[in-house]
Amino acid sequence: MHTDAGIVLRALADPSRRAIFERLARAEAPVKDLTAQFDISQPAVSQHLAALRSAGLVSERREGRLVYYRVAPQGLRPLVDWLAHYRSFWSERVERLDALLEELDE
Amino acid sequence: MHTDAGIVLRALADPSRRAIFERLARAEAPVKDLTAQFDISQPAVSQHLAALRSAGLVSERREGRLVYYRVAPQGLRPLVDWLAHYRSFWSERVERLDALLEELDE
DNA sequence: ACCATGTATAAGTGTAGGCTTATGCATAGT
DNA sequence: ACTATGCATAAGCCTACACTTATACATGGT
């Protein structure tokens, strides 16, 4: 099937981690920039990045002493797939709603 | 926006809660059925349902002593909207989900 | 070689939250 | 009226985890 959406959900559930992810979605950044931007310590940032990384949501690129992180767009796939799994359910609801509206027309 | 994506993400991050949500997505059910199905106590189920409810993900319907819960599909909208922000990564799939949810609103 | 800078990991702490049992409150059945 | 059933809340426990400080490891600059 598909990889577990739970891992992605759990990674994005934390506000700090989600904020970092959203920040990286705008542009890649080294850890020091993130540390300067958010009001948590550098180790906290690194720990969040490690969590995002093991969830497949970010990737890293080393350049000298700096480690640039950027979002890994395909990391959101399990979540989107999980949501798409309810497509049939939604369609059912829509169809039932359509049926109800047809009944009201008569 | 009534609820933001963080509340929805947090509600769905817990495995038990997500399992209950997925179970309710197949069909509505009273609390006693959920309690029988999952290996946690009845209060635990009620607490998860309360969390899902305050996240806008389920609604309840009372019938005698039974309280039937069912998913509130529009509760997923904040999450879909949040994902829609990454439309550049996910254009085709997210837009389909978006279109479905807009249908539901009408 | 030395020191500063950038990052990751280790170790410890405090708190949020998911679980339990106990209890109270409706409703249904007899 | 009494009892049983279904559910929600209260209170307490306990684990997970998001933080901290301390430290180790690279790399760059002088």
Side-chain angles (χ1 to χ4, degrees), chain A residues 53-64:
Chain A
R53 188 182 190 284
S54 68
L57 287 168
V58 302
S59 62
E60 64 193 65
R61 172 177 67 88
R62 182 115 189 202
E63 187 168 333

Side-chain angles (χ1 to χ4, degrees), chain A residues 37-63:
Chain A
Q37 184 160 353
F38 296 99
D39 209 26
I40 55 179
S41 65
Q42 172 268 314
V45 172
S46 283
Q47 287 160 14
H48 283 309
L49 289 170
L52 289 171
R53 188 182 190 284
S54 68
L57 287 168
V58 302
S59 62
E60 64 193 65
R61 172 177 67 88
R62 182 115 189 202
E63 187 168 333

Side-chain angles (χ1 to χ4, degrees), chain B residues 1-9 52-58 72 74-79 81-82 105:
Chain B
M1 27 182 159
H2 257 217
T3 19
D4 78 319
I7 298 180
V8 177
L9 282 167
L52 289 170
R53 188 182 192 286
S54 69
L57 287 168
V58 302
Q74 69 277 13
L76 287 173
R77 167 166 274 286
L79 182 51
D81 286 345
W82 184 82
D105 277 351

